[in-house]
């Protein structure tokens, strides 16, 4: 029942996904509305009724507790019980995170979940986290984000020994605010990651780093800016061709194929949902503005998350970190 466009786009994306990714999808929400939108029976689309919906303007934690039959709550319970292997949500991000925490639970040892968002770069994809699970973060939470993001990049994106950077206003070790200054030495001594030091905003798109760590406030701003800039860039190119006269228009026809490839590469809908790292099952969060294409890609990412066993890989890494910290504590 999420997205700004209602169930129609969700269902259209699900229909495409079951064909492309060979999976079954359970649509959770108002059964009557969903069945009317589907039109006819679909063998790989199942419907689970939920009588309530959490709106974008509701307080996430309160709404999740007050609406036990909300679609996001019912869907999370399906994931928790093992009836489903992964979850994709395009509703309120806050409600999704709250439902995951209350009804699914954190991986043992995880202090705070983190949203990992893939952003296109010159060399492939850069993972930015946290991109909105929690606006503030303690240094130890950012270290765990780095570990979880590194596992995500390796097992979901196939990046070997991913380079991890701390987002800052300069590359020097002594740069930054109190949060980054406290986080840097912790990341530097963490043996479970390939920490390359501070990175700046331009490094995200340059491809000089694979995993960028920041708090949820900064990460969400970076994400929204990147999406808006990509859309603005494509429009500026189009306007320049249209307004340039006959020759640019003729040239535009010649470069149309590579422009389409560029638009596809910059399109956030191609990269699926953002994985909520640190909870006990694959839980993917999409934009409220997601259309069918983005929903289909998110379901594809969810299928990949299940096949790669990324959640258990993260749990194992966090357990190793916890054990190492305990050993150091005993030595002290």
């Amino acid at each position: 029942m999420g997205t700004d466009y209602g169930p129609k786009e969700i269902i259209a994306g699900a229909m495409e996904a079951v064909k492309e990714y060979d999976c079954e999808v359970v649509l959770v929400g108002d059964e009557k509305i969903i069945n009317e939108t589907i039109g006819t029976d679909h063998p790989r689309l199942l419907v689970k009724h939920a009588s309530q919906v959490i709106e974008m303007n509701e307080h996430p934690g309160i709404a999740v507790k007050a609406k036990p039959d909300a679609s996001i709550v019912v869907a999370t319970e399906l994931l928790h019980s093992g009836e489903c292997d992964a979850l994709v949500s395009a509703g309120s991000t806050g409600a999704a995170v709250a439902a995951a925490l209350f009804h699914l639970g954190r991986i043992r040892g995880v202090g705070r979940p983190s949203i990992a968002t893939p952003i296109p770069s010159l060399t492939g994809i850069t993972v930015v986290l946290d991109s909105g699970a929690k606006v503030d973060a303690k240094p130890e939470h950012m270290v765990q984000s780095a570990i979880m993001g590194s596992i995500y990049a390796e097992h979901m994106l196939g990046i070997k020994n991913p380079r991890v950077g701390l987002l800052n206003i300069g590359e020097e070790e002594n740069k930054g605010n109190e949060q980054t200054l406290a986080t840097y030495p912790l990341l530097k001594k963490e043996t479970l990651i390939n920490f390359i030091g501070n990175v700046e905003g331009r490094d995200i798109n340059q491809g000089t780093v694979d995993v960028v760590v920041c708090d949820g406030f900064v990460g969400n701003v970076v994400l929204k800016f990147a999406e808006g800039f990509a859309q603005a860039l494509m429009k500026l190119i189009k306007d320049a061709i249209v307004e340039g006269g006959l020759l640019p228009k003729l040239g535009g026809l010649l470069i149309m194929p590579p422009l389409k490839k560029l638009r596809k590469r910059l399109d956030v809908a191609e990269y699926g949902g953002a994985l909520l790292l640190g909870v006990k099952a694959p839980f993917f969060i999409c934009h409220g503005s997601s259309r069918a294409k983005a929903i289909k890609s998110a379901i594809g990412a969810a299928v990949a998350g299940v096949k790669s066993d990324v959640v258990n890989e993260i749990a194992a890494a966090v357990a190793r970190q916890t054990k190492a910290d305990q050993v150091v504590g005993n030595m002290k």
Side-chain angles (χ1 to χ4, degrees):
M1 305 304 292
T3 83
D4 302 336
Y5 309 104
K8 185 177 179 180
E9 292 292 327
I10 299 272
I11 293 167
M15 286 180 169
E16 294 175 20
V18 296
K19 296 176 184 177
E20 184 163 337
Y21 304 114
D22 189 29
C23 62
E24 290 185 347
V25 174
V26 180
L27 298 166
V28 182
D30 189 305
E31 188 174 26
K32 182 180 178 182
I33 294 175
I34 294 172
N35 285 331
E36 287 175 352
T37 306
I38 293 175
T40 57
D41 290 338
H42 196 292
R44 308 202 76 181
L45 284 181
L46 308 175
V47 180
K48 177 70 174 179
H49 181 64
S51 63
Q52 297 173 306
V53 176
I54 295 176
E55 304 295 340
M56 291 291 188
N57 61 350
E58 293 186 78
H59 186 282
I62 295 174
V64 165
K65 292 180 179 179
K67 293 184 173 180
D69 204 40
S71 53
I72 185 60
V73 175
V74 174
T76 307
E77 288 291 351
L78 291 176
L79 183 62
H80 180 258
S81 66
E83 292 181 62
C84 293
D85 299 302
L87 185 151
V88 173
S89 170
S92 162
T93 297
V97 173
L101 289 173
F102 295 159
H103 296 275
L104 191 60
R106 292 173 295 180
I107 292 170
R108 184 174 183 178
V110 172
R112 184 171 290 174
S114 179
I115 298 176
T117 301
I119 293 180
S121 73
L122 293 178
T123 57
I125 293 176
T126 300
V127 181
V128 174
L129 69 164
D130 177 21
S131 57
K134 189 74 174 177
V135 293
D136 299 308
K138 295 179 180 179
E140 56 267 30
H141 295 151
M142 294 177 72
V143 174
Q144 279 196 336
S145 285
I147 295 170
M148 295 190 294
S150 185
I151 296 294
Y152 168 88
E154 182 177 353
H155 291 272
M156 287 284 290
L157 304 178
I159 302 172
K160 293 183 178 180
N161 197 28
R163 299 160 295 176
V164 178
L166 176 63
L167 189 60
N168 210 328
I169 58 173
E171 295 181 358
E172 297 83 359
E173 188 171 343
N174 60 353
K175 284 280 185 75
N177 56 18
E178 291 182 5
Q179 181 193 58
T180 55
L181 288 171
T183 302
Y184 189 102
L186 299 181
L187 290 171
K188 189 175 181 180
K189 71 177 184 179
E190 179 54 64
T191 60
L192 295 176
I193 60 172
N194 176 21
F195 181 56
I196 63 171
N198 287 327
V199 295
E200 298 180 71
R202 58 173 172 261
D203 293 303
I204 295 172
N205 300 115
Q206 289 293 324
T208 55
V209 61
D210 302 305
V211 178
V212 173
V213 180
C214 54
D215 63 37
F217 183 91
V218 173
N220 196 263
V221 171
V222 168
L223 171 63
K224 299 293 175 59
F225 173 79
E227 293 171 358
F229 179 76
Q231 293 169 0
L233 177 63
M234 294 308 300
K235 188 176 187 306
L236 287 171
I237 294 173
K238 181 180 178 181
D239 290 347
I241 293 173
V242 172
E243 296 169 4
L246 180 60
L247 287 178
K249 288 179 181 177
L250 291 174
L253 292 175
L254 294 175
I255 65 171
M256 190 60 68
L259 279 180
K260 286 183 177 179
K261 289 182 180 179
L262 174 61
R263 183 170 62 183
K264 183 177 181 180
R265 186 171 178 183
L266 294 176
D267 187 0
V268 66
E270 294 287 340
Y271 296 92
L275 179 59
L276 180 61
L277 305 176
V279 296
K280 292 180 178 178
F283 195 113
F284 288 80
I285 296 174
C286 302
H287 288 295
S289 59
S290 294
R291 294 277 191 178
K293 183 179 179 182
I295 297 299
K296 183 203 75 171
S297 297
I299 295 172
V303 171
V306 174
K307 290 181 177 178
S308 67
D309 200 24
V310 65
V311 170
N312 284 329
E313 294 291 345
I314 288 172
V318 171
R320 289 196 296 272
Q321 182 209 20
T322 302
K323 185 176 180 180
D325 289 346
Q326 290 173 344
V327 170
V328 172
N330 292 334
M331 289 175 64
K332 290 180 180 179

